[in-house]
Amino acid sequence: MRKIVLKVSSIDKLRFQNFIVLMQKAESKAEADMYFRLAKKIIQKGDLKQN
């Protein structure tokens, strides 16, 4: 897996990793999409702080 550098708090980093694991274990596509969107929000929050 590619290493992603997030400019967010350590809590957000843990939350992001948790969403990725949950996404991989998801039973349905809808569930995986939900975790993907939540993880994407954290990345966007990091982008906003960076600029």
Side-chain angles (χ1 to χ4, degrees):
M1 193 172 151
R2 194 173 55 134
K3 185 169 174 72
I4 300 171
V5 179
L6 295 174
K7 300 264 190 256
V8 292
S9 67
S10 56
I11 294 166
D12 275 343
K13 285 182 186 175
L14 287 173
R15 200 176 287 149
F16 177 78
Q17 290 171 344
N18 193 23
F19 288 148
I20 296 300
V21 170
L22 287 169
M23 192 172 76
Q24 291 168 347
K25 291 182 180 178
E27 308 261 324
S28 66
K29 186 177 184 323
E31 195 179 351
D33 285 347
M34 179 184 69
Y35 292 128
F36 177 76
R37 263 187 264 113
L38 291 168
K40 198 171 169 184
K41 275 186 188 173
I42 292 173
I43 291 175
Q44 288 170 342
K45 189 193 299 184
D47 286 346
L48 289 174
K49 283 184 182 177
Q50 202 170 8
N51 293 339

Short mmCIF file of all heavy atoms in Angstrom, two decimals:
data_model
loop_
_atom_site.label_atom_id
_atom_site.label_comp_id
_atom_site.label_asym_id
_atom_site.label_seq_id
_atom_site.Cartn_x
_atom_site.Cartn_y
_atom_site.Cartn_z
N MET A 1 0.84 -1.19 0.00
CA MET A 1 0.00 0.00 0.00
C MET A 1 0.88 1.24 0.00
O MET A 1 1.91 1.28 0.66
CB MET A 1 -0.90 -0.02 1.24
CG MET A 1 -2.00 0.98 1.20
SD MET A 1 -3.13 0.69 2.59
CE MET A 1 -3.70 2.35 2.83
N ARG A 2 0.46 2.22 -0.73
CA ARG A 2 1.20 3.47 -0.84
C ARG A 2 1.09 4.25 0.46
O ARG A 2 0.03 4.29 1.07
CB ARG A 2 0.59 4.27 -1.99
CG ARG A 2 1.42 5.41 -2.44
CD ARG A 2 0.79 6.00 -3.68
NE ARG A 2 -0.59 6.35 -3.42
CZ ARG A 2 -1.15 7.50 -3.78
NH1 ARG A 2 -0.46 8.37 -4.45
NH2 ARG A 2 -2.42 7.75 -3.50
N LYS A 3 2.18 4.85 0.88
CA LYS A 3 2.17 5.64 2.11
C LYS A 3 1.59 7.02 1.81
O LYS A 3 2.02 7.69 0.89
CB LYS A 3 3.58 5.78 2.66
CG LYS A 3 3.63 6.47 4.00
CD LYS A 3 5.00 6.34 4.61
CE LYS A 3 5.15 7.13 5.88
NZ LYS A 3 4.46 6.59 7.01
N ILE A 4 0.60 7.40 2.60
CA ILE A 4 -0.05 8.70 2.44
C ILE A 4 0.35 9.58 3.62
O ILE A 4 0.21 9.17 4.77
CB ILE A 4 -1.59 8.56 2.40
CG1 ILE A 4 -2.00 7.66 1.24
CG2 ILE A 4 -2.24 9.94 2.26
CD1 ILE A 4 -3.47 7.29 1.26
N VAL A 5 0.86 10.75 3.33
CA VAL A 5 1.24 11.68 4.39
C VAL A 5 0.07 12.62 4.63
O VAL A 5 -0.32 13.37 3.75
CB VAL A 5 2.50 12.48 4.01
CG1 VAL A 5 2.87 13.46 5.10
CG2 VAL A 5 3.65 11.53 3.73
N LEU A 6 -0.48 12.52 5.82
CA LEU A 6 -1.63 13.35 6.17
C LEU A 6 -1.20 14.45 7.13
O LEU A 6 -0.52 14.19 8.11
CB LEU A 6 -2.72 12.52 6.85
CG LEU A 6 -3.39 11.43 6.02
CD1 LEU A 6 -4.33 10.62 6.90
CD2 LEU A 6 -4.16 12.03 4.87
N LYS A 7 -1.58 15.66 6.82
CA LYS A 7 -1.29 16.78 7.72
C LYS A 7 -2.51 17.00 8.62
O LYS A 7 -3.17 18.04 8.56
CB LYS A 7 -1.00 18.04 6.91
CG LYS A 7 0.17 17.91 5.98
CD LYS A 7 1.43 18.44 6.59
CE LYS A 7 2.55 18.54 5.60
NZ LYS A 7 3.53 17.50 5.72
N VAL A 8 -2.81 15.99 9.42
CA VAL A 8 -3.94 16.06 10.35
C VAL A 8 -3.48 15.55 11.71
O VAL A 8 -2.37 15.05 11.86
CB VAL A 8 -5.15 15.22 9.85
CG1 VAL A 8 -5.76 15.84 8.60
CG2 VAL A 8 -4.78 13.79 9.58
N SER A 9 -4.36 15.66 12.69
CA SER A 9 -4.02 15.23 14.05
C SER A 9 -3.83 13.71 14.11
O SER A 9 -4.28 12.97 13.23
CB SER A 9 -5.13 15.65 15.02
OG SER A 9 -6.30 14.93 14.74
N SER A 10 -3.18 13.26 15.15
CA SER A 10 -2.94 11.82 15.31
C SER A 10 -4.26 11.05 15.46
O SER A 10 -4.36 9.90 15.03
CB SER A 10 -2.03 11.56 16.51
OG SER A 10 -2.57 12.13 17.67
N ILE A 11 -5.26 11.69 16.06
CA ILE A 11 -6.57 11.05 16.21
C ILE A 11 -7.18 10.80 14.83
O ILE A 11 -7.72 9.73 14.55
CB ILE A 11 -7.51 11.92 17.07
CG1 ILE A 11 -6.96 12.01 18.50
CG2 ILE A 11 -8.93 11.38 17.06
CD1 ILE A 11 -7.57 13.08 19.35
N ASP A 12 -7.06 11.81 13.94
CA ASP A 12 -7.57 11.66 12.58
C ASP A 12 -6.81 10.58 11.82
O ASP A 12 -7.39 9.86 11.02
CB ASP A 12 -7.51 12.98 11.82
CG ASP A 12 -8.72 13.86 12.08
OD1 ASP A 12 -9.74 13.33 12.56
OD2 ASP A 12 -8.65 15.06 11.79
N LYS A 13 -5.51 10.46 12.07
CA LYS A 13 -4.72 9.41 11.40
C LYS A 13 -5.20 8.03 11.82
O LYS A 13 -5.37 7.14 10.97
CB LYS A 13 -3.23 9.58 11.70
CG LYS A 13 -2.61 10.70 10.94
CD LYS A 13 -1.13 10.82 11.22
CE LYS A 13 -0.58 12.06 10.53
NZ LYS A 13 0.79 12.32 10.84
N LEU A 14 -5.46 7.85 13.10
CA LEU A 14 -5.96 6.57 13.60
C LEU A 14 -7.34 6.28 13.03
O LEU A 14 -7.64 5.16 12.62
CB LEU A 14 -6.03 6.58 15.13
CG LEU A 14 -4.69 6.49 15.86
CD1 LEU A 14 -4.89 6.68 17.35
CD2 LEU A 14 -4.03 5.17 15.57
N ARG A 15 -8.17 7.32 12.97
CA ARG A 15 -9.51 7.17 12.43
C ARG A 15 -9.44 6.77 10.95
O ARG A 15 -10.17 5.90 10.50
CB ARG A 15 -10.25 8.50 12.60
CG ARG A 15 -11.74 8.38 12.53
CD ARG A 15 -12.42 9.70 12.80
NE ARG A 15 -12.33 10.06 14.20
CZ ARG A 15 -12.28 11.31 14.66
NH1 ARG A 15 -12.28 12.31 13.82
NH2 ARG A 15 -12.22 11.54 15.94
N PHE A 16 -8.52 7.41 10.21
CA PHE A 16 -8.34 7.10 8.79
C PHE A 16 -7.92 5.64 8.60
O PHE A 16 -8.49 4.93 7.78
CB PHE A 16 -7.27 8.03 8.19
CG PHE A 16 -6.97 7.76 6.75
CD1 PHE A 16 -7.82 8.21 5.76
CD2 PHE A 16 -5.83 7.06 6.39
CE1 PHE A 16 -7.55 7.96 4.43
CE2 PHE A 16 -5.55 6.81 5.06
CZ PHE A 16 -6.41 7.27 4.08
N GLN A 17 -6.95 5.18 9.39
CA GLN A 17 -6.49 3.79 9.29
C GLN A 17 -7.63 2.83 9.61
O GLN A 17 -7.79 1.80 8.97
CB GLN A 17 -5.32 3.55 10.25
CG GLN A 17 -4.06 4.25 9.80
CD GLN A 17 -2.97 4.20 10.86
OE1 GLN A 17 -3.23 3.91 12.03
NE2 GLN A 17 -1.75 4.50 10.46
N ASN A 18 -8.43 3.19 10.60
CA ASN A 18 -9.57 2.36 11.00
C ASN A 18 -10.58 2.25 9.85
O ASN A 18 -11.08 1.17 9.56
CB ASN A 18 -10.22 2.96 12.25
CG ASN A 18 -11.19 2.01 12.89
OD1 ASN A 18 -11.09 0.80 12.72
ND2 ASN A 18 -12.12 2.55 13.64
N PHE A 19 -10.86 3.38 9.19
CA PHE A 19 -11.80 3.37 8.07
C PHE A 19 -11.29 2.49 6.94
O PHE A 19 -12.05 1.78 6.30
CB PHE A 19 -12.06 4.78 7.54
CG PHE A 19 -12.90 5.64 8.46
CD1 PHE A 19 -12.70 7.01 8.52
CD2 PHE A 19 -13.89 5.08 9.25
CE1 PHE A 19 -13.47 7.80 9.36
CE2 PHE A 19 -14.66 5.87 10.10
CZ PHE A 19 -14.45 7.23 10.15
N ILE A 20 -9.97 2.53 6.67
CA ILE A 20 -9.39 1.71 5.60
C ILE A 20 -9.56 0.23 5.92
O ILE A 20 -9.96 -0.57 5.06
CB ILE A 20 -7.90 2.06 5.39
CG1 ILE A 20 -7.74 3.51 4.91
CG2 ILE A 20 -7.25 1.11 4.39
CD1 ILE A 20 -8.43 3.83 3.59
N VAL A 21 -9.29 -0.16 7.17
CA VAL A 21 -9.46 -1.56 7.58
C VAL A 21 -10.92 -1.97 7.46
O VAL A 21 -11.23 -3.04 6.93
CB VAL A 21 -8.93 -1.77 9.02
CG1 VAL A 21 -9.31 -3.14 9.54
CG2 VAL A 21 -7.42 -1.58 9.05
N LEU A 22 -11.82 -1.12 7.95
CA LEU A 22 -13.25 -1.43 7.87
C LEU A 22 -13.71 -1.54 6.42
O LEU A 22 -14.53 -2.38 6.08
CB LEU A 22 -14.06 -0.35 8.59
CG LEU A 22 -14.00 -0.38 10.11
CD1 LEU A 22 -14.62 0.87 10.70
CD2 LEU A 22 -14.68 -1.62 10.67
N MET A 23 -13.14 -0.69 5.56
CA MET A 23 -13.51 -0.71 4.15
C MET A 23 -13.12 -2.05 3.52
O MET A 23 -13.86 -2.62 2.72
CB MET A 23 -12.80 0.45 3.42
CG MET A 23 -13.30 0.71 2.03
SD MET A 23 -12.59 2.21 1.34
CE MET A 23 -10.95 1.68 0.94
N GLN A 24 -11.96 -2.56 3.90
CA GLN A 24 -11.49 -3.83 3.35
C GLN A 24 -12.32 -5.01 3.87
O GLN A 24 -12.46 -6.01 3.19
CB GLN A 24 -10.01 -4.04 3.67
CG GLN A 24 -9.12 -3.07 2.91
CD GLN A 24 -7.70 -3.06 3.40
OE1 GLN A 24 -7.39 -3.58 4.45
NE2 GLN A 24 -6.82 -2.43 2.63
N LYS A 25 -12.87 -4.88 5.09
CA LYS A 25 -13.66 -5.96 5.68
C LYS A 25 -15.15 -5.83 5.37
O LYS A 25 -15.94 -6.68 5.81
CB LYS A 25 -13.48 -5.97 7.20
CG LYS A 25 -12.10 -6.37 7.65
CD LYS A 25 -12.01 -6.39 9.15
CE LYS A 25 -10.64 -6.79 9.62
NZ LYS A 25 -10.54 -6.77 11.08
N ALA A 26 -15.53 -4.77 4.65
CA ALA A 26 -16.95 -4.49 4.41
C ALA A 26 -17.63 -5.64 3.69
O ALA A 26 -17.06 -6.27 2.81
CB ALA A 26 -17.08 -3.21 3.60
N GLU A 27 -18.86 -5.91 4.10
CA GLU A 27 -19.65 -7.01 3.52
C GLU A 27 -20.29 -6.60 2.20
O GLU A 27 -20.48 -7.42 1.33
CB GLU A 27 -20.75 -7.42 4.51
CG GLU A 27 -20.25 -7.72 5.91
CD GLU A 27 -20.09 -9.20 6.15
OE1 GLU A 27 -20.89 -9.96 5.63
OE2 GLU A 27 -19.15 -9.58 6.88
N SER A 28 -20.66 -5.33 2.08
CA SER A 28 -21.36 -4.88 0.88
C SER A 28 -20.67 -3.67 0.27
O SER A 28 -19.85 -3.01 0.92
CB SER A 28 -22.81 -4.51 1.23
OG SER A 28 -22.81 -3.38 2.07
N LYS A 29 -21.00 -3.39 -0.97
CA LYS A 29 -20.41 -2.24 -1.65
C LYS A 29 -20.85 -0.94 -0.98
O LYS A 29 -20.05 -0.01 -0.85
CB LYS A 29 -20.81 -2.25 -3.12
CG LYS A 29 -20.12 -1.17 -3.92
CD LYS A 29 -20.48 -1.25 -5.38
CE LYS A 29 -19.73 -0.27 -6.23
NZ LYS A 29 -19.47 1.03 -5.69
N ALA A 30 -22.09 -0.86 -0.55
CA ALA A 30 -22.60 0.36 0.09
C ALA A 30 -21.82 0.66 1.37
O ALA A 30 -21.48 1.81 1.66
CB ALA A 30 -24.08 0.21 0.40
N GLU A 31 -21.53 -0.38 2.13
CA GLU A 31 -20.78 -0.22 3.37
C GLU A 31 -19.35 0.26 3.06
O GLU A 31 -18.84 1.16 3.71
CB GLU A 31 -20.73 -1.57 4.09
CG GLU A 31 -20.30 -1.50 5.54
CD GLU A 31 -20.30 -2.86 6.22
OE1 GLU A 31 -20.78 -3.84 5.63
OE2 GLU A 31 -19.79 -2.92 7.33
N ALA A 32 -18.72 -0.34 2.05
CA ALA A 32 -17.36 0.06 1.66
C ALA A 32 -17.35 1.51 1.18
O ALA A 32 -16.44 2.27 1.52
CB ALA A 32 -16.85 -0.87 0.57
N ASP A 33 -18.37 1.91 0.41
CA ASP A 33 -18.46 3.28 -0.07
C ASP A 33 -18.58 4.27 1.09
O ASP A 33 -17.99 5.35 1.05
CB ASP A 33 -19.68 3.45 -1.00
CG ASP A 33 -19.43 2.85 -2.38
OD1 ASP A 33 -18.26 2.54 -2.69
OD2 ASP A 33 -20.41 2.70 -3.13
N MET A 34 -19.34 3.90 2.12
CA MET A 34 -19.52 4.78 3.27
C MET A 34 -18.17 5.02 3.95
O MET A 34 -17.81 6.16 4.24
CB MET A 34 -20.50 4.15 4.27
CG MET A 34 -20.72 4.99 5.51
SD MET A 34 -21.77 4.18 6.74
CE MET A 34 -20.73 2.86 7.31
N TYR A 35 -17.40 3.95 4.19
CA TYR A 35 -16.09 4.11 4.84
C TYR A 35 -15.13 4.87 3.94
O TYR A 35 -14.31 5.66 4.42
CB TYR A 35 -15.51 2.73 5.21
CG TYR A 35 -16.30 2.04 6.30
CD1 TYR A 35 -16.76 0.74 6.15
CD2 TYR A 35 -16.58 2.69 7.50
CE1 TYR A 35 -17.48 0.11 7.15
CE2 TYR A 35 -17.31 2.08 8.50
CZ TYR A 35 -17.76 0.79 8.32
OH TYR A 35 -18.48 0.18 9.30
N PHE A 36 -15.22 4.67 2.62
CA PHE A 36 -14.37 5.38 1.68
C PHE A 36 -14.65 6.89 1.76
O PHE A 36 -13.72 7.70 1.81
CB PHE A 36 -14.60 4.88 0.25
CG PHE A 36 -13.80 5.62 -0.78
CD1 PHE A 36 -12.45 5.39 -0.93
CD2 PHE A 36 -14.41 6.55 -1.59
CE1 PHE A 36 -11.71 6.08 -1.86
CE2 PHE A 36 -13.68 7.24 -2.54
CZ PHE A 36 -12.32 7.01 -2.68
N ARG A 37 -15.94 7.26 1.81
CA ARG A 37 -16.30 8.68 1.90
C ARG A 37 -15.79 9.29 3.21
O ARG A 37 -15.29 10.42 3.22
CB ARG A 37 -17.81 8.86 1.79
CG ARG A 37 -18.26 9.20 0.40
CD ARG A 37 -19.72 9.55 0.33
NE ARG A 37 -20.46 8.34 -0.06
CZ ARG A 37 -21.31 7.68 0.70
NH1 ARG A 37 -21.59 8.08 1.91
NH2 ARG A 37 -21.92 6.61 0.27
N LEU A 38 -15.90 8.56 4.30
CA LEU A 38 -15.43 9.07 5.60
C LEU A 38 -13.92 9.27 5.58
O LEU A 38 -13.41 10.27 6.07
CB LEU A 38 -15.83 8.10 6.72
CG LEU A 38 -17.34 8.03 7.02
CD1 LEU A 38 -17.64 6.86 7.92
CD2 LEU A 38 -17.83 9.32 7.63
N ALA A 39 -13.19 8.31 4.99
CA ALA A 39 -11.73 8.43 4.89
C ALA A 39 -11.36 9.60 3.99
O ALA A 39 -10.41 10.34 4.27
CB ALA A 39 -11.13 7.14 4.37
N LYS A 40 -12.11 9.79 2.93
CA LYS A 40 -11.84 10.88 1.98
C LYS A 40 -12.03 12.24 2.65
O LYS A 40 -11.27 13.18 2.38
CB LYS A 40 -12.78 10.74 0.78
CG LYS A 40 -12.35 11.49 -0.43
CD LYS A 40 -13.22 11.10 -1.61
CE LYS A 40 -13.02 12.01 -2.77
NZ LYS A 40 -13.91 11.69 -3.87
N LYS A 41 -13.02 12.35 3.55
CA LYS A 41 -13.24 13.60 4.27
C LYS A 41 -12.02 13.97 5.10
O LYS A 41 -11.66 15.14 5.21
CB LYS A 41 -14.46 13.47 5.20
CG LYS A 41 -15.77 13.73 4.54
CD LYS A 41 -16.88 13.72 5.57
CE LYS A 41 -18.24 13.78 4.90
NZ LYS A 41 -19.32 13.59 5.87
N ILE A 42 -11.39 12.97 5.72
CA ILE A 42 -10.20 13.23 6.54
C ILE A 42 -9.06 13.75 5.67
O ILE A 42 -8.36 14.68 6.03
CB ILE A 42 -9.79 11.95 7.31
CG1 ILE A 42 -10.86 11.63 8.35
CG2 ILE A 42 -8.43 12.14 7.98
CD1 ILE A 42 -10.66 10.31 9.07
N ILE A 43 -8.90 13.16 4.48
CA ILE A 43 -7.85 13.63 3.56
C ILE A 43 -8.14 15.06 3.13
O ILE A 43 -7.23 15.90 3.09
CB ILE A 43 -7.77 12.69 2.33
CG1 ILE A 43 -7.20 11.34 2.76
CG2 ILE A 43 -6.89 13.30 1.24
CD1 ILE A 43 -7.19 10.31 1.67
N GLN A 44 -9.39 15.36 2.85
CA GLN A 44 -9.75 16.72 2.43
C GLN A 44 -9.51 17.72 3.56
O GLN A 44 -9.05 18.84 3.33
CB GLN A 44 -11.21 16.77 1.98
CG GLN A 44 -11.42 16.10 0.65
CD GLN A 44 -12.88 15.91 0.29
OE1 GLN A 44 -13.75 15.98 1.16
NE2 GLN A 44 -13.14 15.68 -0.98
N LYS A 45 -9.77 17.32 4.79
CA LYS A 45 -9.52 18.18 5.94
C LYS A 45 -8.02 18.50 6.04
O LYS A 45 -7.62 19.62 6.31
CB LYS A 45 -10.00 17.50 7.23
CG LYS A 45 -9.97 18.42 8.45
CD LYS A 45 -10.13 17.69 9.76
CE LYS A 45 -11.44 16.94 9.90
NZ LYS A 45 -11.57 16.34 11.24
N GLY A 46 -7.18 17.50 5.77
CA GLY A 46 -5.73 17.69 5.78
C GLY A 46 -5.29 18.61 4.67
O GLY A 46 -4.40 19.44 4.87
N ASP A 47 -5.91 18.52 3.50
CA ASP A 47 -5.59 19.40 2.38
C ASP A 47 -5.92 20.84 2.71
O ASP A 47 -5.20 21.76 2.37
CB ASP A 47 -6.32 18.97 1.11
CG ASP A 47 -5.74 17.72 0.49
OD1 ASP A 47 -4.62 17.34 0.87
OD2 ASP A 47 -6.41 17.11 -0.36
N LEU A 48 -7.05 21.06 3.40
CA LEU A 48 -7.45 22.41 3.76
C LEU A 48 -6.45 23.03 4.74
O LEU A 48 -6.12 24.20 4.62
CB LEU A 48 -8.85 22.42 4.37
CG LEU A 48 -10.02 22.14 3.42
CD1 LEU A 48 -11.32 22.05 4.22
CD2 LEU A 48 -10.12 23.20 2.35
N LYS A 49 -5.98 22.24 5.70
CA LYS A 49 -5.02 22.74 6.68
C LYS A 49 -3.67 23.05 6.04
O LYS A 49 -2.96 23.94 6.46
CB LYS A 49 -4.81 21.72 7.80
CG LYS A 49 -5.93 21.68 8.80
CD LYS A 49 -5.62 20.72 9.93
CE LYS A 49 -6.76 20.64 10.91
NZ LYS A 49 -6.52 19.66 11.96
N GLN A 50 -3.33 22.29 5.01
CA GLN A 50 -2.03 22.44 4.36
C GLN A 50 -1.96 23.74 3.58
O GLN A 50 -0.92 24.39 3.54
CB GLN A 50 -1.81 21.26 3.41
CG GLN A 50 -0.37 21.00 3.08
CD GLN A 50 -0.20 19.68 2.34
OE1 GLN A 50 -1.16 19.06 1.95
NE2 GLN A 50 1.02 19.29 2.14
N ASN A 51 -3.05 24.16 2.98
CA ASN A 51 -3.04 25.37 2.13
C ASN A 51 -3.14 26.64 2.93
O ASN A 51 -3.56 26.75 3.97
CB ASN A 51 -4.19 25.33 1.12
CG ASN A 51 -3.97 24.21 0.11
OD1 ASN A 51 -2.85 23.77 -0.06
ND2 ASN A 51 -5.03 23.76 -0.52
#
